[in-house]
Amino acid sequence: MFQELSESDWNQFIAQHPDAGVFDLPSCLKATAAVYHAKINYFAYLKNNQILVAIAVFVKDDKIIVPHHYYRSSFLILKDQNPLVINQAIIALLTTLKERTKSIQIALPLNIQDIRPFIWTDFQPQIRYTYIKELETLDYHENINRNIKKAEKNQFTYAYDTDYEASLRLHQQDLKLFGISTAQNEQLSELFKQWIATGLLKSFNAYKDGVLIASNLLLCDEKQNIAYKLMISTSVYNELGVQSALYDYTFQLLKEKGFQKVDLYGANMQSIADFKGKFNPELHSFFVLTYSAKRKWLKPIYKVLDYLIK
């Protein structure tokens, strides 16, 4: 049975679910919804009054959206269930969502790799990649180790949970240089401010003679012991090893605080992937799935045209 959940129902469900993390928290979801002017809906499919599958979605203009690059959709499956039963529940959930919206976009969490129910319900999959750095062993490529030693000679200093306004200014400059539009830049900055206010986003900063020169921003999931590395600013001191050293400082401190891994993002672009790959992370894939009612109705026409052309 398809059911819309209240926020109270959702909170009760995620409190008991072993996979629930930062992207499932109403505080995280509300901050995102406020910035992107979207509504949050909580949906589930139940059998015998037990939730088999649940999802929190952002709805805007009758569309379910993935509002930004960093977002991983809140999609939770009941553990230790027959895969056939779960697949049927996902299909039923998606079928009802399709009837309610013009289009749907879902960025699945990494632990969901079976996307057949989405394909069977006319979703189009895109494969994406990310790097996961396990913090148990902090071994790096020799190039990174050389950079860290170089940074030590330049007497950079580091601090945690400081100078957020200055940090955000550095990141805004970098996003602009990266080609991000002014509107998107402002939205991300406002989102980061909201997450900082809730205590979810933390800064890891590097200084030279007391001046902030580089900053790392991470979304910290204390329940799952994973941090999501959203941004690291560029610096005129990169050639002196500060960026590599700031990564190492971040990893070391997170490990001390009990975190087990860091999602580095950035594995889809070669230039960024080449650098992050030197920290010896593991490559993981995930899926972004889209459905469009318009595309569904056009599909038979495309098939006829393809047949006639042949």
Side-chain angles (χ1 to χ4, degrees), residues 118-133:
F118 294 87
I119 295 172
W120 294 336
T121 48
D122 297 317
F123 280 74
Q124 299 295 312
Q126 288 183 315
I127 189 167
R128 304 282 175 83
Y129 296 94
T130 190
Y131 278 131
I132 302 293
K133 177 61 181 176

Side-chain angles (χ1 to χ4, degrees), residues 34-45:
V35 172
Y36 291 90
H37 306 291
K39 180 184 176 183
I40 307 170
N41 285 128
Y42 307 101
F43 298 117
Y45 186 83

Side-chain angles (χ1 to χ4, degrees), residues 38-68:
K39 180 184 176 183
I40 307 170
N41 285 128
Y42 307 101
F43 298 117
Y45 186 83
L46 293 76
K47 186 175 183 179
N48 299 326
N49 292 321
Q50 185 178 40
I51 295 176
L52 298 180
V53 183
I55 184 172
V57 299
F58 297 108
V59 181
K60 186 173 183 177
D61 300 327
D62 292 326
K63 299 175 183 177
I64 292 175
I65 64 170
V66 173
H68 55 81

Side-chain angles (χ1 to χ4, degrees), residues 131 141 144 266-267 269-279:
Y131 278 131
H141 186 275
I144 298 297
M269 294 182 62
Q270 184 178 357
S271 58
I272 297 175
D274 286 348
F275 173 70
K276 292 185 177 181
K278 293 177 182 178
F279 291 94

Side-chain angles (χ1 to χ4, degrees), residues 283-301:
L283 183 66
H284 289 253
S285 61
F286 66 99
F287 296 95
V288 176
L289 299 128
T290 57
Y291 168 81
S292 169
K294 184 183 294 185
R295 184 176 59 211
K296 179 186 176 182
W297 290 113
L298 289 173
K299 190 175 180 180
I301 298 174

Side-chain angles (χ1 to χ4, degrees), residues 10 13-14 19-26 29 40-43 53-58 65-66 71-77 93 105-109 111-112:
W10 180 261
F13 174 68
I14 64 172
D19 290 338
V22 67
F23 291 111
D24 308 302
L25 295 176
L29 294 167
I40 307 170
N41 285 128
Y42 307 101
F43 298 117
V53 183
I55 184 172
V57 299
F58 297 108
I65 64 170
V66 173
Y71 180 66
R72 301 276 170 77
S73 296
S74 177
F75 196 96
L76 296 166
I77 296 172
L93 177 69
Q105 188 175 32
I106 298 172
L108 284 177
N111 65 319
I112 300 179

